[in-house]
Amino acid sequence: MVKFHYVNRKSEGPKLGQVVGKDLLKRIPPGPNYKAAIRDPVVDIDISGKALSDEGLQEVAKALITSMIYDGEHGKVVRLEELCLRESKLTARCLRPLAGVIALAASDLRDLDLSGNSICIITDHQAADWEEFLESFAKCCTLRRIDLSGNALGRRAFEILARVYGKSEPIDELLTFERSRLHPDSQASSADNKNGDGSLTPRTPKASVVSDVSGCEDDWSIIPKVAQFNHHESSEEMENMVQHARRSSTVAAPFDLYPKTRGLRSIPYLVFANTSTNDNCALHLSYIVENHHNPHHLLHYVPLAKAGLPAQQLEAYNQIEGCDGIIYRPNNALGNAGNKVLELAELARNDTSEAEEMTIQVNFQELDILGSPLAAGRQASDARPSLSPLAVTNRRKSIVSADVGEQNNHAASRAGELHRARSRIEGDVLRDFGPQSNDLWRSSLKMLSVSRVILLEPKKPREAKATGKLRRSERKPLAPQNGFGRATAFPRHPLSTPLAPGNPNQPIIPKLPHRRKNSPDVSDLKMTRGISRTEAGITEPPPTSHIPQNDNGYRSPLPGGLDERLWGRIISLACGCSGILNAAQVSAVIKWARDRSSLKREMEALGKAESAQIWRVLEGTGCLAYEIGG
């Protein structure tokens, strides 16, 4: 590993960024360091405390992208493993160039330190850069830590973090399978679990500098548009670099362990200490804490930390009370409600982890009793009557199931408490800042309003009452009555009496306007009897085969004959909800907008505060929070 450490250099600011860029480009032929780069392409960069600034980082990012894209006859010359930019006076403008670097180093990067900077997400442009930065971790499979402590990220940053985290690749089923396969109590004689000496101890991942992973570099769609490093100028050179990288990407031999977990969910440590986290930020962070796996599970799928300072930092995180993987303490802006919701989220995660461990333990006990040759030998040699293996298994299952049932009761109680704690924060945010303070709430309410105008079911006609009385529209008009209550008969004018010309009773025939030149005449219509309809200019009605139909073959009753799914896509795109609401939330909003009974439910809450009414609608549509599934 080659260490590019510039802590003791005299240069600072953008000038230091130019120096770092020149040092990196020397590793590309015919540079003087090309041969050394071929022997050892692994690079560790530390530019902490040198006031690098956004301009200096752009120079470093350009050089990194150029050198990482290069892949000559003898292989690559730069593989970035660690990048330390602590206290470098960086702002949100650094996120876009960093996204390009992270996407290219997805199979190598192991540690990223951005602590002590001025990254703050407020405007829409900053939010877009932040989202692109988070999405660049989608293929990272060796990353141990992301340190963002000391940055006043803001509420919007945590909301986008929850959204991107929910879209990242799920790893729950994979971790459960791997933990059961490598369980230390396993007595199964599977050849896949044996080491070279025939033992069944779990394999320990080994760190390696050659970390080209199958699948981590073959998907170049995750590489962001790095052509625009600043918001005012564009660089064709950087766009050409990315295009060249897409054409020259090669896939090396896969690892056995590392590529199994990728994305934000696979990173053992996410550090958000001293990030001005308030209760609103804690609300979004609680969903991540609840679903993030414990570090001691995730560390098996990333390279081991080097002895010394990196290992000491990870060990220090484990000593922080109440923070297991997601490090959010200390945070002075965090109130009582925020602390409580995060603590309850930690307990909910522990309950889930313990339930998985007990399930794995039951499965291996059953495997031990039914499939172990030792158990069969003991039963064959023992003359005394004993319980069958199936009976022993059922007995153990009953004991464990009782423990699981008691544990589930406690978990359900804590889950209800967590839901109430989140509801209180949501109500306070709606009361103080309104739904406009949350992208998910604003987008879902806008989509609901538009959908209700278009798709609301019409009122059903009221049926006649059982008394037999007709509705007002079905009643016959009444004849005029005279003074005695009888119908008055008016004498008709004798039509047979001819009227002389000039008589004032003679009807006046109105004069019709002159016929237009292009309008058909009776004589013209008679001449077209032998001509086809197309030649006569008569258009045929469109065929009915293009009309969208539902699964039963009938046309949808919605406007245009489109079904709910298509209307959901159309309205979500029109309202700018694409990428914010998932498919389930879009479907729930459409169903809520169509159903007239939802209007009745909304009217029942008219006496409550406006924030409570909005909360009730958001809860009914499932749009209170971003969904983070397994």
Side-chain angles (χ1 to χ4, degrees):
M1 175 185 291
V2 179
K3 296 184 178 181
F4 287 82
H5 289 191
Y6 299 89
V7 178
N8 298 325
R9 290 285 187 95
K10 294 182 179 180
S11 301
E12 290 185 353
K15 185 177 180 180
L16 179 60
Q18 297 176 0
V19 173
V20 177
K22 291 179 181 179
D23 292 344
L24 290 170
L25 295 178
K26 290 179 182 179
R27 301 173 69 85
I28 301 176
N33 299 334
Y34 170 64
K35 293 183 179 180
I38 292 297
R39 290 193 299 267
D40 188 3
V42 181
V43 171
D44 176 9
I45 300 178
D46 186 359
I47 324 177
S48 58
K50 302 300 291 184
L52 185 63
S53 74
D54 298 330
E55 290 75 12
L57 178 65
Q58 291 176 10
E59 298 294 332
V60 177
K62 290 179 183 178
L64 273 174
I65 292 175
T66 304
S67 56
M68 285 191 295
I69 286 177
Y70 177 81
D71 191 2
E73 180 181 359
H74 301 286
K76 294 189 174 183
V77 295
V78 170
R79 295 182 182 275
L80 181 63
E81 279 197 358
E82 296 184 5
L83 179 60
C84 182
L85 299 171
R86 183 175 60 252
E87 298 178 359
S88 297
K89 293 186 178 180
L90 302 178
T91 65
R93 290 180 58 194
C94 75
L95 297 175
R96 187 176 291 271
L98 276 177
V101 173
I102 294 167
L104 289 172
S107 58
D108 302 295
L109 188 62
R110 303 182 182 184
D111 191 270
L112 178 62
D113 191 349
L114 294 174
S115 60
N117 289 291
S118 302
I119 301 174
C120 183
I121 310 302
I122 299 177
T123 65
D124 293 341
H125 211 116
Q126 293 172 346
D129 292 348
W130 172 253
E131 186 169 2
E132 185 174 335
F133 170 74
L134 295 175
E135 289 175 349
S136 65
F137 294 97
K139 298 296 179 181
C140 289
C141 52
T142 59
L143 191 57
R144 290 188 301 263
R145 181 186 70 138
I146 301 176
D147 191 352
L148 292 166
S149 60
N151 293 276
L153 297 177
R155 171 206 57 81
R156 199 167 185 182
F158 284 95
E159 181 187 352
I160 298 174
L161 174 64
R163 182 196 310 162
V164 177
Y165 188 92
K167 296 178 183 178
S168 60
E169 184 176 345
I171 60 175
D172 293 355
E173 295 182 359
L174 172 65
L175 291 187
T176 303
F177 170 75
E178 289 292 328
R179 285 159 59 189
S180 62
R181 188 172 66 88
L182 302 178
H183 197 275
D185 296 335
S186 173
Q187 299 294 333
S189 59
S190 175
D192 296 337
N193 293 346
K194 287 185 179 181
N195 296 329
D197 56 353
S199 61
L200 294 173
T201 55
R203 292 175 296 174
T204 304
K206 298 179 181 180
S208 175
V209 297
V210 185
S211 54
D212 269 339
V213 180
S214 176
C216 284
E217 292 184 352
D218 56 350
D219 188 3
W220 287 91
S221 62
I222 64 169
I223 298 179
K225 296 179 180 179
V226 297
Q228 296 182 355
F229 281 119
N230 53 45
H231 306 315
H232 305 287
E233 299 178 358
S234 61
S235 173
E236 296 181 358
E237 181 182 359
M238 296 307 303
E239 183 67 24
N240 295 333
M241 292 178 186
V242 175
Q243 295 297 334
H244 173 69
R246 291 174 177 172
R247 292 192 299 267
S248 61
S249 62
T250 57
V251 179
F255 272 126
D256 182 51
L257 200 61
Y258 297 152
K260 293 182 178 179
T261 57
R262 304 174 186 175
L264 291 173
R265 302 190 188 203
S266 66
I267 303 174
Y269 295 97
L270 300 174
V271 186
F272 301 104
N274 294 319
T275 52
S276 301
T277 306
N278 54 20
D279 294 346
N280 195 357
C281 302
L283 174 65
H284 300 291
L285 191 60
S286 66
Y287 293 96
I288 300 176
V289 171
E290 184 182 6
N291 291 274
H292 199 74
H293 285 272
N294 293 322
H296 64 272
H297 293 155
L298 297 174
L299 285 173
H300 289 287
Y301 301 91
V302 295
L304 298 176
K306 295 180 294 184
L309 183 59
Q312 294 175 3
Q313 288 176 340
L314 300 185
E315 185 62 28
Y317 295 146
N318 297 331
Q319 303 301 324
I320 300 177
E321 185 179 358
C323 297
D324 200 358
I326 308 295
I327 313 300
Y328 57 89
R329 290 177 178 172
N331 260 305
N332 297 329
L334 197 60
N336 295 331
N339 273 313
K340 184 175 182 179
V341 76
L342 290 173
E343 291 173 359
L344 292 172
E346 287 276 2
L347 293 175
R349 177 176 63 173
N350 294 336
D351 293 337
T352 304
S353 180
E354 291 175 2
E356 292 176 356
E357 291 289 348
M358 295 186 71
T359 303
I360 295 172
Q361 183 180 2
V362 171
N363 293 337
F364 274 101
Q365 286 178 352
E366 180 178 358
L367 182 64
D368 185 18
I369 294 298
L370 295 179
S372 175
L374 298 177
R378 285 196 302 268
Q379 284 196 353
S381 61
D382 195 353
R384 293 177 299 175
S386 60
L387 295 174
S388 64
L390 183 59
V392 175
T393 303
N394 292 335
R395 184 174 180 180
R396 289 189 180 184
K397 279 187 175 182
S398 63
I399 296 174
V400 175
S401 61
D403 296 338
V404 172
E406 183 179 357
Q407 183 180 1
N408 289 340
N409 294 333
H410 292 294
S413 176
R414 280 193 287 265
E417 191 175 357
L418 175 61
H419 176 72
R420 290 189 294 272
R422 285 171 174 165
S423 300
R424 282 192 289 270
I425 297 179
E426 291 162 352
D428 293 341
V429 173
L430 285 171
R431 181 194 62 203
D432 298 337
F433 305 101
Q436 299 297 326
S437 62
N438 189 299
D439 294 340
L440 177 62
W441 298 349
R442 182 184 67 252
S443 302
S444 59
L445 292 176
K446 182 179 180 180
M447 183 176 178
L448 177 61
S449 301
V450 176
S451 303
R452 181 161 283 171
V453 172
I454 300 174
L455 305 176
L456 182 62
E457 296 177 351
K459 290 184 178 181
K460 297 181 180 180
R462 294 181 299 177
E463 298 179 357
K465 296 182 180 180
T467 56
K469 295 182 179 180
L470 297 177
R471 293 193 297 267
R472 179 173 298 179
S473 60
E474 298 178 355
R475 298 174 184 174
K476 296 182 180 180
L478 298 176
Q481 305 287 332
N482 55 17
F484 301 98
R486 297 180 180 179
T488 304
F490 296 97
R492 296 184 178 181
H493 192 278
L495 298 179
S496 59
T497 305
L499 298 177
N503 193 318
N505 295 326
Q506 177 72 24
I508 301 175
I509 301 174
K511 294 182 179 181
L512 299 177
H514 294 286
R515 183 176 61 87
R516 296 180 181 178
K517 294 182 179 181
N518 297 331
S519 59
D521 197 0
V522 177
S523 59
D524 299 336
L525 294 177
K526 292 180 180 180
M527 296 175 61
T528 60
R529 289 183 178 179
I531 303 176
S532 63
R533 297 173 64 89
T534 305
E535 295 175 350
I538 302 175
T539 59
E540 297 286 345
T544 58
S545 59
H546 75 284
I547 299 177
Q549 298 178 350
N550 56 17
D551 298 337
N552 299 327
Y554 296 97
R555 182 175 178 178
S556 173
L558 297 179
L562 306 180
D563 56 8
E564 286 187 359
R565 181 180 59 85
L566 292 177
W567 271 116
R569 292 180 60 184
I570 293 171
I571 297 175
S572 63
L573 289 173
C575 297
C577 303
S578 180
I580 299 178
L581 278 72
N582 59 15
Q585 290 172 333
V586 169
S587 178
V589 170
I590 294 296
K591 291 183 183 299
W592 184 277
R594 287 192 60 196
D595 191 5
R596 278 196 168 272
S597 62
S598 62
L599 291 174
K600 184 178 180 181
R601 281 178 280 177
E602 294 177 14
M603 293 178 65
E604 292 175 354
L606 288 178
K608 298 182 180 180
E610 183 179 358
S611 59
Q613 299 178 34
I614 297 175
W615 186 92
R616 193 167 186 175
V617 173
L618 293 173
E619 184 190 30
T621 55
C623 296
L624 278 171
Y626 297 99
E627 291 188 3
I628 303 178

